[in-house]
Amino acid sequence: MKSIVLCSLTIFLLLLIMKNQVNCGKILVVALAPLYSHQLPLRTLAQILANRGHEVVLVSALTAKNSSLINYREIDFSVAYEIREMKEVSELYSNYATLTKYEVVKYVSYLGTILTNYFYTHPEIKKIYTSGSKEKFDLVIVEGVINCAAFAIAHMLNVPFIGLISMDLHMYHNYLLGAPVLPSHISNWELSDYVDTDMSFWKRLQAYVVASLAVFQWYNYETGEQEKYIRNLIGNDLPPLYDIAKNMSLLLVNHNPLFGDARPLPPNVIQFNSFHIAENLPPLPTELDEFFGNASNGFIYMSLGDTMKSSIVLSKVVKEIYNAFSRLPYKVLWKYDADDIPKGNGNILISKWTPQESVLAHPNIKLFIYQGGMQSTEEAIYYGVPTIGVPIMFEQIYRIRKLVSLGVCKMVDISKINEEMFYEAVLDVINNKSYKEKMTELSRLVKDVPYDSKENVVWWVEYVMRHKGAQHLRFSGADDPWYQRYDMDIIVFLSIALFIVTTISVIAFVQITRWLYKHLLLSLCAPKCFPLLQGKNKIM
């Protein structure tokens, strides 16, 4: 009997192993941007896929970490952080507030070009895509924010690819996938300075022009300068970059309409959120645990993220913020990267690194002051912590404005911060219970979903591998020229036709009116108006 049970168990295990061998594949995950918030979703996804049995190779700008997974390895691309410190690139961050939309695109494109060069000339990457390589992949997952050049590796490996972005869709993503660009709608975060809920014709015209120029600039860069550059780098045997990009199987987008704005999307755009939220939080360091434990009135946490150094952003107002914090009856944990803040104030703890999720999950926290980054927003909402938003760049101001409209956040203009204003803003959010109540309700809404976000994303990734792509989900309108997508040629034709018909009708009306006046009206009025003339005619 035991031998039968053992035999059955062995057969079951063999079948299970065979099943995993059939379903599991080899996946290349590419995360190039030297920004922690951009790296985090891709790293999380890579590790989840590895845990499910897939063989995963992660190209990461973060320092490669040891992993106990035997089917998971990382290629160190930390050179990206050195690129970020280059003068031409660092100017983008230090002078962002003064840059125009076009200068931002220029700087980001410049960064993308340098990253592309380092990516395709990296020794470990060249081993993957060079002809004769023994490494075979089933899928490529690439960060899709900076440019399309990294997508080309999927074509070189002859496998389908999935794009992933750690924020809401850009205008060029909409254009790329055939979705409406919507320049005058509030969901277009890139035009947050131009759009509103009730816009005049001239405001909409301005937004339309800015959006059109921005999309054209991106398209011109990808199909011109960037394409020429990538061909010189890896050879001419490559389709147009734009064609490669628009044929992606899926685009995974880190966005939730609850703290953004809903918009129409094509079927191959899959939204996810709170992807990186840890199931088991790491314990707090002893120093922080004691600091929070002694916070009888609660504590405040301030962090402006990792994209820009707080010491640069707050250089002109750091003393104002410090003085405001010093007056508060609360403990303050301040993530700050420099040593120019006075030491010795008992209620303020300065730290260059914090386990943010564990901090936000602490029951004594009263307020989170942050810059409006996507991952930080997800964490604040998930743990129900009211916020003060100090937006700095990119989509942060759009996101903070949305949270303000939901009643869970108060926005502070970094260029106008002073001690008294900052002090009053902190007390307002903490003392006004509605901020906490509305944030708690928003947290419940975010968690009330029909499926786990991680499981949903993984299902779609495996779906693409099972079917060797998902071209049937593409919107065919992405292949049409811009004027056909919105029937602009028909609108122009009808407008011209209407103008011609209207012009002909007006001319005909004028001519008929003149003829009637000349021949009909005068003949009717002549006997009454000119009796003497008629008499003379009779005598004669």
Side-chain angles (χ1 to χ4, degrees):
M1 183 67 181
K2 289 183 178 179
S3 60
I4 296 175
V5 173
L6 184 61
C7 183
S8 300
L9 183 59
T10 304
I11 293 172
F12 173 75
L13 290 174
L14 287 173
L15 289 173
L16 186 62
I17 292 171
M18 291 175 64
K19 178 179 183 295
N20 286 336
Q21 288 177 338
V22 171
N23 291 337
C24 291
K26 188 172 182 180
I27 305 171
L28 176 65
V29 182
V30 181
L32 302 185
L35 302 168
Y36 180 76
S37 59
H38 290 231
Q39 294 283 323
L40 190 55
L42 284 154
R43 176 176 288 276
T44 303
L45 178 58
Q47 292 175 347
I48 292 173
L49 291 170
N51 276 316
R52 289 177 67 90
H54 299 286
E55 185 180 352
V56 178
V57 177
L58 171 64
V59 182
S60 174
L62 292 177
T63 304
K65 298 180 180 179
N66 295 327
S67 173
S68 59
L69 295 168
I70 59 174
N71 55 332
Y72 173 82
R73 71 182 173 98
E74 295 187 6
I75 295 176
D76 189 346
F77 197 71
S78 54
V79 66
Y81 279 95
E82 298 175 18
I83 296 170
R84 177 178 160 180
E85 297 303 320
M86 293 173 60
K87 179 183 177 184
E88 296 86 348
V89 177
S90 61
E91 283 180 358
L92 166 66
Y93 302 104
S94 57
N95 301 320
Y96 180 82
T98 62
L99 298 178
T100 65
K101 299 286 183 187
Y102 311 109
E103 289 173 322
V104 170
V105 174
K106 174 185 173 183
Y107 274 114
V108 172
S109 300
Y110 179 77
L111 173 60
T113 299
I114 299 176
L115 289 173
T116 297
N117 178 67
Y118 276 82
F119 175 67
Y120 284 108
T121 56
H122 192 290
E124 293 297 315
I125 305 299
K126 290 184 75 173
K127 289 180 183 178
I128 290 174
Y129 72 79
T130 343
S131 60
S133 172
K134 295 182 180 179
E135 290 208 62
K136 304 298 179 183
F137 289 87
D138 300 292
L139 179 70
V140 173
I141 303 175
V142 191
E143 183 187 23
V145 172
I146 294 182
N147 56 42
C148 295
F151 297 158
I153 195 169
H155 174 80
M156 298 161 71
L157 297 175
N158 194 28
V159 296
F161 78 96
I162 295 173
L164 185 149
I165 56 177
S166 59
M167 61 181 73
D168 197 4
L169 287 169
H170 295 60
M171 289 184 288
Y172 65 79
H173 288 123
N174 285 284
Y175 183 77
L176 182 68
L177 300 173
V181 175
L182 303 176
S184 302
H185 192 264
I186 55 174
S187 62
N188 193 340
W189 65 265
E190 291 172 282
L191 296 182
S192 57
D193 294 335
Y194 298 91
V195 299
D196 207 339
T197 51
D198 185 18
M199 297 173 63
S200 67
F201 170 81
W202 298 111
K203 284 286 185 181
R204 289 188 291 112
L205 177 62
Q206 184 183 21
Y208 182 87
V209 171
V210 173
S212 300
L213 290 174
V215 172
F216 173 78
Q217 186 179 15
W218 168 83
Y219 179 83
N220 187 57
Y221 172 76
E222 294 294 346
T223 58
E225 179 184 345
Q226 183 70 358
E227 186 167 313
K228 180 180 178 181
Y229 177 80
I230 193 70
R231 288 182 184 280
N232 290 335
L233 195 62
I234 60 179
N236 288 319
D237 186 19
L238 194 70
L241 284 180
Y242 182 77
D243 288 345
I244 294 175
K246 73 180 182 181
N247 283 299
M248 70 174 73
S249 293
L250 294 177
L251 180 61
L252 305 174
V253 181
N254 190 182
H255 177 67
N256 189 327
L258 283 172
F259 40 95
D261 287 289
R263 65 172 73 182
L265 299 172
N268 60 343
V269 173
I270 307 300
Q271 294 183 323
F272 67 93
N273 63 89
S274 305
F275 196 76
H276 68 288
I277 300 294
E279 295 179 4
N280 299 303
L281 291 172
L284 288 167
T286 304
E287 181 185 21
L288 289 183
D289 196 31
E290 293 177 355
F291 185 74
F292 297 155
N294 294 328
S296 55
N297 294 328
F299 72 91
I300 297 166
Y301 172 49
M302 178 170 177
S303 171
L304 298 186
D306 296 295
T307 301
M308 295 185 66
K309 293 182 178 179
S310 295
S311 55
I312 295 176
V313 175
L314 302 176
S315 58
K316 297 179 181 179
V317 296
V318 64
K319 291 183 179 179
E320 301 288 334
I321 294 175
Y322 177 82
N323 292 338
F325 281 155
S326 301
R327 295 167 54 188
L328 293 168
Y330 309 101
K331 297 277 189 178
V332 177
L333 172 62
W334 188 353
K335 181 177 177 293
Y336 192 78
D337 57 88
D339 298 317
D340 57 347
I341 297 179
K343 301 292 189 295
N345 193 312
N347 78 315
I348 303 175
L349 176 63
I350 307 298
S351 176
K352 294 184 179 180
W353 176 86
T354 59
Q356 183 162 291
E357 268 198 80
S358 298
V359 171
L360 292 174
H362 198 282
N364 282 356
I365 191 167
K366 294 287 185 181
L367 173 67
F368 178 30
I369 303 171
Y370 81 125
Q371 87 288 11
M374 174 56 81
Q375 280 72 42
S376 292
T377 299
E378 291 177 322
E379 292 166 5
I381 293 173
Y382 187 86
Y383 295 109
V385 183
T387 59
I388 287 180
V390 189
I392 302 168
M393 63 194 313
F394 298 136
E395 85 288 4
Q396 294 167 0
I397 189 168
Y398 159 78
R399 189 171 296 116
I400 291 297
R401 283 175 177 170
K402 180 63 179 181
L403 295 183
V404 170
S405 72
L406 296 174
V408 299
C409 178
K410 188 179 185 71
M411 185 167 72
V412 172
D413 186 341
I414 196 169
S415 64
K416 299 177 181 178
I417 287 180
N418 60 60
E419 177 184 336
E420 197 60 35
M421 179 263 281
F422 198 77
Y423 176 80
E424 292 296 334
V426 170
L427 289 182
D428 179 37
V429 176
I430 293 179
N431 294 333
N432 188 338
K433 294 182 179 179
S434 68
Y435 285 97
K436 177 63 176 178
E437 292 170 353
K438 290 179 180 178
M439 182 61 92
T440 302
E441 176 59 26
L442 182 58
S443 180
R444 281 197 293 264
L445 284 172
V446 168
K447 295 174 183 177
D448 188 7
V449 291
Y451 47 75
D452 179 78
S453 189
K454 294 178 185 177
E455 290 297 323
N456 185 51
V457 169
V458 170
W459 186 90
W460 278 107
V461 169
E462 294 177 340
Y463 176 88
V464 171
M465 283 198 293
R466 283 196 301 272
H467 300 286
K468 303 186 184 306
Q471 292 302 301
H472 54 283
L473 296 178
R474 286 186 67 248
F475 174 52
S476 60
D479 300 323
D480 297 334
W482 66 270
Y483 55 86
Q484 286 187 19
R485 296 186 186 189
Y486 305 105
D487 290 331
M488 294 297 292
D489 49 347
I490 295 176
I491 292 172
V492 169
F493 171 79
L494 292 176
S495 298
I496 293 173
L498 181 61
F499 174 78
I500 293 173
V501 170
T502 302
T503 302
I504 293 174
S505 299
V506 170
I507 293 173
F509 176 77
V510 171
Q511 293 295 331
I512 292 171
T513 303
R514 290 177 64 183
W515 185 89
L516 290 174
Y517 177 79
K518 182 177 180 180
H519 295 87
L520 185 60
L521 187 61
L522 287 180
S523 63
L524 290 175
C525 295
K528 298 179 180 179
C529 297
F530 307 103
L532 295 177
L533 180 60
Q534 291 178 352
K536 289 181 179 180
N537 289 335
K538 289 179 180 180
I539 294 172
M540 293 175 63

